[in-house]
Amino acid sequence: MTADPSKPRRRRIGWRGAAITASVTVLILGAFAALIASGHLWPNRIFASSHTTRGIDVSSYQGAIDWTVLSSEDIDFAIIKATEGSGAQDSRFAKNWSDAHETDLLVGAYHFMSFESEGATQAQNVIDTVPDAPGSLPVTVDLEFYGDFFDNPPTRTHVRNILDPLLAALEDHYGTPPIIYATPDAYDRYVRDDYPDNPIWIRSVALPPRLSDERDWTIWQYSHRDRLRGYNGDEQYIDMNVFAGTLDEMRALAAQSAR
């Protein structure tokens, strides 16, 4: 059929054009992913900005911390690693705890829970390490997978046999229900539909969190690749968090620990 010269011709992209378009798309997506991986672009920062009470969590990986400098970085609270399992203590906890309490920050401690020792002995490790300081945030139990447990998660019954006595002993000693920190997978397996008195601290570094049982979160860890002034350790990044309420409401949470 002879083409009508009065009508504009449609351009056909063809396989070469499609291949070029696909390559450009891959490059753009790769650059976007690289920016996220480098910590220069993190979508959650936009969503988290609607929450005005911000904080950090740190461990010995952040090295020596100048708490005067770090506390001036537009943060309101700090949660510091204290213990792990039944016998390990973070090498910088005592100094971090003391120095952080010299600032205006609300300060708390966290325990990394092991799946390999009893809850009672883990609780004693926390009690022996973390002072019962009035006005501190409730102790946090960090519930997440590690090592071979990523591929072979322990059963709910196994975890509950550790977690339940650990939480009970810490509440009895410190006078307030501990915070439970969890990844989404750990939350769904071990926490969902239970522990109504324990504040939930959820990790979600890609999108805003939504708990599977529609429960409200108390603290949201929205980034693990921020950079602030005031520390100089092997880990160049620092975890960022927001509190669901106001600073006064977080102070009220801390006041529950006062005796």
Side-chain angles (χ1 to χ4, degrees), residues 201-239:
W201 177 7
I202 193 73
R203 171 188 169 92
S204 184
V205 297
L207 293 171
R210 183 171 181 177
L211 302 184
S212 55
D213 53 4
E214 302 300 324
R215 181 175 174 179
D216 293 332
W217 53 267
T218 299
I219 302 174
W220 166 26
Q221 185 185 84
Y222 68 88
S223 172
H224 64 306
R225 297 184 72 82
D226 269 53
R227 298 181 184 182
L228 301 177
R229 297 179 307 125
Y231 63 93
N232 185 23
D234 294 334
E235 177 55 71
Q236 61 180 315
Y237 298 109
I238 198 166
D239 296 340

Side-chain angles (χ1 to χ4, degrees), residues 63-182:
I65 295 177
D66 185 330
W67 282 97
T68 301
V69 173
L70 186 55
S71 65
S72 69
E73 289 285 274
D74 190 27
I75 58 174
D76 305 294
F77 64 94
I79 301 178
I80 302 166
K81 183 176 182 181
T83 48
E84 183 170 336
S86 293
Q89 299 83 38
D90 187 274
S91 61
R92 293 190 178 274
F93 171 71
K95 182 165 179 55
N96 280 336
W97 180 261
S98 175
D99 290 355
H101 273 89
E102 294 297 318
T103 71
D104 293 331
L105 297 175
L106 292 170
V107 181
Y110 77 88
H111 168 76
F112 191 95
M113 195 187 99
S114 169
F115 300 133
E116 301 165 274
S117 62
E118 295 181 358
T121 56
Q122 294 195 50
Q124 193 60 53
N125 188 21
V126 178
I127 291 167
D128 291 342
T129 305
V130 179
D132 185 7
S136 299
L137 292 167
V139 168
T140 294
V141 173
D142 181 345
L143 179 59
E144 59 180 293
F145 300 112
Y146 59 92
D148 292 339
F149 293 111
F150 282 107
D151 296 325
N152 301 288
T155 66
R156 182 179 176 91
T157 298
H158 176 84
V159 171
R160 293 290 294 268
N161 286 338
I162 299 171
L163 180 61
D164 289 358
L166 171 58
L167 293 174
L170 294 179
E171 181 173 355
D172 180 67
H173 179 77
Y174 293 103
T176 189
I179 298 168
I180 299 175
Y181 169 97

